[in-house]
Amino acid sequence: MTTNDIINPANLVYAKTKVMNDVPMHYCPGCSHGVVHKIIAEIIEEMDMQEKTIGIAPVGCAVFAYKYLDIDWQQAAHGRAPALATAVKRLLPDRLVFTYQGDGDLAAIGTAETIHAANRGENIAIIFINNGIYGMTGGQMAPTTLEGMKSSTSPNGRTVPLNGHPLDITKLLAQLKGTCYVTRQSVHTIAAVRKAKKAIQKAFENSMDNKGTSVVEIVSTCNAGWKMTPEAANDWMVENMFPAYPLGDLKDL
Amino acid sequence: MTTNDIINPANLVYAKTKVMNDVPMHYCPGCSHGVVHKIIAEIIEEMDMQEKTIGIAPVGCAVFAYKYLDIDWQQAAHGRAPALATAVKRLLPDRLVFTYQGDGDLAAIGTAETIHAANRGENIAIIFINNGIYGMTGGQMAPTTLEGMKSSTSPNGRTVPLNGHPLDITKLLAQLKGTCYVTRQSVHTIAAVRKAKKAIQKAFENSMDNKGTSVVEIVSTCNAGWKMTPEAANDWMVENMFPAYPLGDLKDL
Amino acid sequence: MKEEIIIAGFGGQGVLSMGKILAYSGLMQGQEVSWMPSYGPEQRGGTANVTVILSDERISSPVLNSYDTAIVLNQPSLERFENKVKPGGTLIFDGNGFHKFPTRTDINIYRIDATEYAYANDAAKTMNMIILGGLLKVRPIVQVENVLKGLKKSLPERHHHLIPMNEKAIQIGMRLIKKVN
Amino acid sequence: MKEEIIIAGFGGQGVLSMGKILAYSGLMQGQEVSWMPSYGPEQRGGTANVTVILSDERISSPVLNSYDTAIVLNQPSLERFENKVKPGGTLIFDGNGFHKFPTRTDINIYRIDATEYAYANDAAKTMNMIILGGLLKVRPIVQVENVLKGLKKSLPERHHHLIPMNEKAIQIGMRLIKKVN
Amino acid sequence: MAKIKGAVVVDVERCKGCNLCVVSCPSNVLALSKDANAKGYNYSNMADPDSCVGCAACAYVCPDACITVYKVRV
Amino acid sequence: MAKIKGAVVVDVERCKGCNLCVVSCPSNVLALSKDANAKGYNYSNMADPDSCVGCAACAYVCPDACITVYKVRV
Amino acid sequence: MNDSEKHNMEEVRLMKGNEAVAHAAIRCGCDGYFGYPITPQSEIMETLMEQEPWNTTGMVVLQAESETSSINMVYGAAGCGKKAMTSSSSPGISLMQEGISYLAGAELPCVIVNVMRGGPGLGTIQPSQADYYQTVKGGGHGDYKMITLAPASVQEMADHTVLAFDLAFKYRVTAMVLADGVIGQMMEKVVLPPFKPRWTENEIRQISPWATLGKPATREPNIINSLRLEASDMEELNLRLQGRYREIENNEVLFEEFSVKDAEYVIVAFGTTARVCQKAVEMARAEGIKAGLLRPITLYPFPTVEISNLANKIKGMLTVEMSAGQMVDDVRLAVNGRIPVEFFGRMGGIVPSPDEVLHALKTKIIHR
Amino acid sequence: MNDSEKHNMEEVRLMKGNEAVAHAAIRCGCDGYFGYPITPQSEIMETLMEQEPWNTTGMVVLQAESETSSINMVYGAAGCGKKAMTSSSSPGISLMQEGISYLAGAELPCVIVNVMRGGPGLGTIQPSQADYYQTVKGGGHGDYKMITLAPASVQEMADHTVLAFDLAFKYRVTAMVLADGVIGQMMEKVVLPPFKPRWTENEIRQISPWATLGKPATREPNIINSLRLEASDMEELNLRLQGRYREIENNEVLFEEFSVKDAEYVIVAFGTTARVCQKAVEMARAEGIKAGLLRPITLYPFPTVEISNLANKIKGMLTVEMSAGQMVDDVRLAVNGRIPVEFFGRMGGIVPSPDEVLHALKTKIIHR
Ligand SMILES: Cc1ncc(C[n+]2csc(CCOP(=O)(O)OP(=O)(O)O)c2C)c(N)n1
Ligand SMILES: Cc1ncc(C[n+]2csc(CCOP(=O)(O)OP(=O)(O)O)c2C)c(N)n1
Ligand code: SF4
Ligand code: SF4
Ligand code: SF4
Ligand code: SF4
Ligand code: SF4
Ligand code: SF4
Ligand SMILES: [Mg+2]
Ligand SMILES: [Mg+2]
């Protein structure tokens, strides 16, 4: 049996979902954003929610998410996605509303909006891409940048006296009465991708069931900002990011 | 021995500290702000820090704090006191720098500034007057307003679906690596006043010792906003606020 | 007809609501009205005042520098507004707690000891209606029947049983007021 | 003397640093210089370009619509900039991966297969110096000695040992470049 | 055992009549006056001076720093 | 026991040559090509097609959704 | 008489300008209000919370954690084609500038009420008009305009709230109701607008086909967005916006004249100040001075043509504002040097008096 | 030759405008920089972080959590009499508007750098000049002004940073360096300013006796504050500010002329656009057209008098901006109708070309 024989619609195991557009993505080779986009698209297709979903895109590398997922989108000002999502969901309570935000967007400039939306228990899903850096603007330090980690605004590595501590915002969000589900995942292996997908699906279901705010943090790489190859970035993430941001559920009501 | 015989400088037990100015305060009769001002003034006098202290006043009823305490003050934009304090302390590291903020100021509009200053471990003291309401603007709901509590923007009582959950921001601040001391006090009895004073003194000492951020929450009354007499407000606070915001140290490193 | 009135006193003396009742009364007799409070710096324990204009024509400026009538309920208000009464105008004061008294001779000055009366007769709640009664005695700018209509309109239904009490207070005020110059 | 140059290619082809070296070289020979990158939308994998002007006089606009010389290192850049070379000007391209080639006849067109050379000789790091060498062969706007001075000035001390290698690359480029029209 | 006697002085013009000193006094020394001060507040004063033990509870809780406390052992 | 045989198709023009599929393949099927696509990337392709078991690990981790996976039992 | 007929009956009420805004919003079918308290306009949200429109019309009322959040909630709601609004006073409006620029860039219709107070900084809570530049010239970044209505009575507070929504949706722009502390706090007679039902989702799909309500298979995704990768695309967006602004300037100018017909001197003033100036004009006329008043009702679009025409007929103009002089620029640009244009103003929360205005008219214009 | 002499030597370097700002700040004794990344100006903070001035001059450099926080950190630092600055680009500057108004109300000196990009909204990161209104007219609430410097070269990026601090402290106002993406991103020759030591606390006490450094027994407390209870007090503050602004307008106007002497037509343009226009003027002169260029270096204070004088001598003016036309208002106000003033602009990130400008000059002014 030749390869060409196998390549046959009848034998299809995995293909790009239709909810993902055909345009090439602008992300750097190996960027985690792509994987997460793909998962979200698959879930929307599987849940048959294309017609009921409104995504809120951040300012950050994922600002263009609206080009890649074939759903209605709003592009939010930097950090304000949870405010937009609050209004959208309150005015369209039977819709699936999610934000997609980076660590600069969600945990720096958007801290207040994130915490208050979660504390109000808005029935939204927050997908939080924690790559420990400001990818979009060229690799500056993020709130989640690890101690000692280099960035273009901590060229000799983050130090606490100069830059303060890395912020574990997800842990804070898990404390809030308004959150129903808070989890931390990654997408560097097939197993991780599968788990992350389940987590996002649960978050989406919670939004539809009006259970409160769900937060899915994806510990991610930004190989461009980290100045590594994609593979090396994955390894660095496992070795350095995971101990600081351990994977698993922080809350599941 | 007549009363007039007793009233003699030699017998003095307690008098207004000189750090407190002679001008009458604009606060409503019975307002907790006055007691906290008095404590702070006493500590500054006792620590002999008048010459080394810079206070940061909020927007809220305590906006006029600068009229009452005889020290240098900066009046901050609503919610931004921790940002000001960060800069002041970093540029004048041998000074005592504290913010004085209400619950609207600190826990609503100033959420991001509060969390990030505390997470950076700025060597400042944050005095947080939690009276569960926006006193200054006429009694609107605050992030800390309790469920069921009436305010001018929750005239039938706060409900979670409409207004979200009360926010225990102090608990969040205690989680942050940058805080060294986080405590919750009140000032409704002499014993409480004494404890609160010790707490603020410790916070001020921490600032001078550059140990990180100290947060002293004072669970307070706003009898005007709550539409009660001062005494009734104190009772209501004990009965309703204390269970939601239990007194005591949350963190003391 | 146009009447420009300032009412001033401590917060809590019912200054704003007195103005409101007056404005509603004007409304009831088909006049143009405006009610403009000093919404001062969330004054805790400061003074409060309200400018009420009743007019047969469209009202231009709702903010005034001089008044046909001033009703002053505490010392600082007297000091602030005595000079702003137009010559020939009316000044009404409640003497309670005053140590300096009005001195102008080109205006009509009346005293109404409503606070004292209210204290003695446990009638704090209707004090402002007493004063209003006094005003209407000397400046009958609205008819009592329209005041009562206005009250009915401005009070929530569950408070309508209080209206007779208020009517009585107006009568009392009409008796209490005295010209002092 | 004034030379207005555009260098364009993929990000990662060293376009910006080639421009920088050129600008430094101008600086070394006392010229006015400007270096203006397309700092595009943080283009991830897009094209990059830089406008370099060397002039004996004060430079007015650092942003240009037409150029004396264009160096294009990928297909989209050729398509974008071929028409913007002034008549009589110079176009240099690296043929690697090109499927359409320049067609103008009123300009001087050169090809330099630096990518191919670099790939074959494991010299990716000096590829942009090879191209620069090619440029200097056909447009000797700066002297090689000033390029080396500029390199010295722009490189951190710890990289100064790389200068001889770069000098060699320039020579290679001078040999590689070929006129194609 | 030495008896302790106290006395307080209320800054009458500063006092806002909030009553918090009154309710905090363990000896029921204080009461609000019938008279009002210039701002219209019924200020606090010693209604039962003899009972004062100079514990300063009133002064500590006074939001307007109106109360000065004196104490002697007799 | 039935043997499983797989095959993948890489969308060559979409591929950015990040190599993540290559390292994630348990059977070492994939490798980056010497040739570059129009964007200049050395794209991924099946270097050892016979080893593919159609597990889709490569496809799951591909950030650019370039990989379609097929599988048969033989 | 059924319920809605009862509602629609013209009934004269007495209320504050702020309250009138709240009632008008509910009645005109507003879908969502998002705000943060600040004097002198907190009664807007307070009235809404008291009215509980979520139990009647279904309108959402939410107290946000800040003005920054409020304006972005408005953006989210407006992006769904909903009638969304916020209100604040000067410092709070400053915090909204990024959001306002985003709304313009994303071409979203919405309503903002600014009940101005004295600035700069925390300033006073007293009335002011010193946010004219911020509103009309551009407080946020980039080239954009907001339709700006300047109510001068409680009635107009109600009417302009309704009009603002109409204009906002007609042009897909933000409409600002620019009031001041006096108009917000004073009580006057008002006839509230009739009840209009909120739009159904189907109506929204008709009226605002760009709204993000979820993407059916039958159309391309709707994207609410102000980002452009290419400068040329961004310029295209800008050209579209500028074209729309020209349309607004041609179609939507509103103003009111008082004694202008035979006037030799005209005062230009808006909002509360216009009422003070009307009194000054009455006083001037009583003295035999031929004065008149032109009150711009729309500050953007500004009555440039009308003022320009007036400049051909009269001897001088006085602009009066509660500021250091902002609208006077637009008056001068309209007059373009043909007659003297002078300015009189009070700042920091002080309302000018009719006497002062009359005095200024005499000294600055008539006997200059 | 000791270290500081070495530092003071005039050395020509090649760097980006953004880098020049950072180096100049360190050298002129800046005490604190507080910022948040945004393209096209992130190199300012990046260069500072690389230079680590805290190890040399003691300057504090802090990456804040947002622009809102940055500007309030600047307020805190400035309140201590320190030389404090921030930088950002258009959307980030919009977020600072409340803070900017507070700085004005509290009379605090500080420096802000805005490297403008195309708006409105998220827009593009390409160069723009569409924040002119926001900067010069008033993006925040209330009546206030910022001294505004418009650099047109990398050298001026360095020089204006120094000048901005000098002017800010001379008048206790904010000084804005209003650049655009081109100036921020381009590399040019620059001679950095000489090193000045940071002020000691004693010097600060002399220079800024109002600074909050802690209250000695010998003076009243220093209060940094923009709040006033009484409107009359607020007006007093406003009158003081306005007086200061008149002083600035009288003393600090800066501009540059190019071929203006015998010109019949003058282009008015600033920043990058002025350089493009200079090229257009050269081209015009080559064709025999008597064109000239006036480049305002200070946008506030604006060279009103100079433009007014020019209007008596020439036939027409063209204002060129990377916007829909903002500074043109100020040109028209200066000219006051005496000669035609027309506008040409590109928007959303597009830099006009010299040819376009020349064409506009011909069609809009010369052959109108
Ligand atoms: C108000 C404002 N401030 C700053 C920026 C610049 N900016 C764009 S994206 C970004 C941070 C992106 O980092 P993150 O949220 O972590 O997303 P990533 O790119 O890493 O996915 C910043 C600061 C902006 N666009 N708007
Ligand atoms: C930007 C801005 N938004 C809103 C306000 C109005 N405002 C003044 S004080 C205040 C809240 C005060 O509440 P809190 O902080 O709890 O202090 P309190 O008065 O209760 O002591 C608000 C919303 C303002 N001044 N500035
Ligand atoms: S910069 Fe980082 S986050 Fe952005 S696309 Fe590249 S790898 Fe991904
Ligand atoms: S309103 Fe409340 S917080 Fe403010 S002074 Fe009065 S009691 Fe105190
Ligand atoms: S506590 Fe103070 S203010 Fe209150 S009544 Fe007693 S003395 Fe007066
Ligand atoms: S000192 Fe103690 S005993 Fe005396 S009045 Fe005060 S509380 Fe009462
Ligand atoms: S993971 Fe995808 S993009 Fe990366 S090399 Fe493989 S196929 Fe190409
Ligand atoms: S399907 Fe599995 S075996 Fe086949 S190439 Fe992909 S990862 Fe390798
Ligand atoms: Mg990130
Ligand atoms: Mg409070």
Side-chain angles (χ1 to χ4, degrees), chain A:
Chain A
M1 184 167 255
T2 70
T3 297
N4 274 344
D5 296 333
I6 305 173
I7 298 173
N8 180 317
N11 302 332
L12 188 69
V13 177
Y14 187 97
K16 186 175 77 56
T17 154
K18 280 177 320 216
V19 176
M20 195 121 189
N21 290 325
D22 274 330
V23 296
M25 296 196 286
H26 72 292
Y27 299 114
C28 304
C31 174
S32 308
H33 278 302
V35 187
V36 184
H37 282 21
K38 207 174 54 173
I39 301 178
I40 295 174
E42 288 169 4
I43 299 167
I44 291 171
E45 172 156 42
E46 287 156 22
M47 288 174 73
D48 193 17
M49 292 295 290
Q50 201 172 5
E51 214 166 315
K52 290 215 157 241
T53 304
I54 293 125
I56 316 287
V59 177
C61 277
V63 66
F64 292 117
Y66 60 77
K67 291 192 179 181
Y68 310 133
L69 265 67
D70 189 29
I71 55 172
D72 280 0
W73 281 99
Q74 296 193 12
Q75 195 286 307
H78 193 31
R80 319 303 174 191
L84 273 67
T86 294
V88 172
K89 181 71 183 182
R90 286 196 176 226
L91 284 162
L92 300 169
D94 65 342
R95 300 306 199 283
L96 168 58
V97 180
F98 73 93
T99 71
Y100 185 105
Q101 305 178 256
D103 42 356
D105 192 83
L106 179 144
I109 193 168
T111 307
E113 286 74 14
T114 306
I115 287 190
H116 283 275
N119 193 56
R120 283 190 305 264
E122 302 296 343
N123 295 307
I124 58 173
I126 295 177
I127 313 301
F128 166 30
I129 307 299
N130 177 8
N131 56 14
I133 209 152
Y134 289 7
M136 172 79 153
T137 41
Q140 294 83 5
M141 187 179 59
T144 55
T145 298
L146 301 177
E147 256 188 85
M149 188 171 164
K150 288 182 185 176
S151 73
S152 63
T153 51
S154 57
N156 294 313
R158 181 183 194 136
T159 67
V160 171
L162 275 179
N163 317 114
H165 296 273
L167 177 65
D168 187 345
I169 185 118
T170 305
K171 201 165 128 195
L172 298 188
L173 295 175
Q175 309 270 328
L176 300 176
K177 290 207 192 99
T179 49
C180 59
Y181 177 50
V182 180
T183 186
R184 196 180 271 129
Q185 303 291 336
S186 76
V187 292
H188 61 308
T189 64
I190 179 168
V193 171
R194 286 207 168 109
K195 281 188 69 183
K197 187 169 167 184
K198 279 214 185 97
I200 294 177
Q201 174 158 358
K202 184 187 266 189
F204 284 8
E205 285 163 1
N206 287 342
S207 168
M208 293 311 292
D209 296 346
N210 293 340
K211 285 181 71 174
T213 308
S214 302
V215 180
V216 181
E217 172 180 340
I218 311 284
V219 182
S220 300
T221 65
C222 167
N223 58 77
W226 298 2
K227 303 199 191 310
M228 297 175 191
T229 65
E231 311 160 44
N234 271 346
D235 295 345
W236 196 91
M237 172 179 73
V238 172
E239 217 170 289
N240 298 278
M241 296 282 282
F242 287 2
Y245 304 109
L247 305 190
D249 289 353
L250 287 84
K251 184 179 195 174
D252 187 4
L253 300 183

Side-chain angles (χ1 to χ4, degrees), chain D residues 43 46 66 121 126 142 147 154:
Chain D
Q43 289 143 304
S66 62
N121 297 277
T126 54
V142 288
V147 176
S154 62

Side-chain angles (χ1 to χ4, degrees), chain G residues 76-291:
Chain G
C80 301
K82 300 284 184 175
K83 285 186 166 179
M85 70 180 292
T86 185
S87 67
S88 187
S89 177
S90 310
I93 298 287
S94 288
L95 282 173
M96 296 184 186
Q97 293 307 321
E98 189 204 22
I100 288 174
S101 179
Y102 266 74
L103 284 157
E107 302 174 80
L108 292 181
C110 73
V111 172
I112 304 175
V113 180
N114 180 2
V115 183
M116 291 178 280
R117 55 191 251 180
L122 189 48
T124 55
I125 58 174
Q126 317 293 353
S128 169
Q129 300 181 314
D131 304 349
Y132 179 92
Y133 276 148
Q134 184 193 55
T135 315
V136 167
K137 298 293 168 187
H141 59 286
D143 288 296
Y144 70 90
K145 295 283 176 194
M146 289 186 277
I147 293 181
T148 306
L149 302 170
S153 65
V154 172
Q155 184 63 54
E156 283 190 342
M157 281 292 256
D159 296 346
H160 286 186
T161 301
V162 181
L163 178 59
F165 273 115
D166 291 345
L167 292 172
F169 275 86
K170 184 166 172 194
Y171 294 102
R172 289 185 65 180
V173 296
T174 295
M176 170 80 86
V177 178
L178 192 68
D180 60 67
V182 170
I183 305 291
Q185 289 296 326
M186 78 186 293
M187 291 209 290
E188 272 187 332
K189 291 208 278 199
V190 57
V191 176
L192 292 176
F195 270 92
K196 277 193 268 185
R198 290 171 57 224
W199 288 331
T200 63
E201 281 194 23
N202 273 335
E203 283 171 320
I204 291 176
R205 286 195 181 88
Q206 295 296 318
I207 296 162
S208 304
W210 43 264
T212 57
L213 295 168
K215 176 205 171 297
T218 50
R219 67 157 166 82
E220 289 298 292
N222 281 339
I223 316 282
I224 303 299
N225 181 30
S226 63
L227 172 64
R228 296 292 184 280
L229 251 151
E230 297 296 333
S232 55
D233 294 339
M234 193 66 207
E235 187 172 58
E236 196 186 299
L237 167 58
N238 269 290
L239 288 169
R240 182 163 70 244
L241 293 178
Q242 293 297 323
R244 200 172 300 159
Y245 300 151
R246 296 302 89 74
E247 251 186 85
I248 293 171
E249 288 159 17
N250 290 334
N251 299 336
E252 306 299 347
V253 171
L254 293 174
F255 63 95
E256 190 186 41
E257 287 178 342
F258 180 78
S259 305
V260 162
K261 232 187 192 137
D262 64 338
E264 294 180 347
Y265 307 100
V266 168
I267 301 177
V268 185
F270 67 99
T272 291
T273 310
R275 291 177 65 152
V276 173
C277 291
Q278 186 182 332
K279 184 144 189 170
V281 166
E282 287 165 7
M283 288 159 59
R285 288 274 170 180
E287 293 185 18
I289 299 169
K290 287 193 170 170

Side-chain angles (χ1 to χ4, degrees), chain H residues 132 249 253 268 296 298-307 327 330-331 334:
Chain H
Y132 179 94
E249 288 159 16
V253 171
V268 185
T298 51
L299 301 180
Y300 178 83
F302 193 70
T304 302
V305 175
E306 294 70 20
I307 290 177
M327 181 178 69
D330 282 330
V331 176

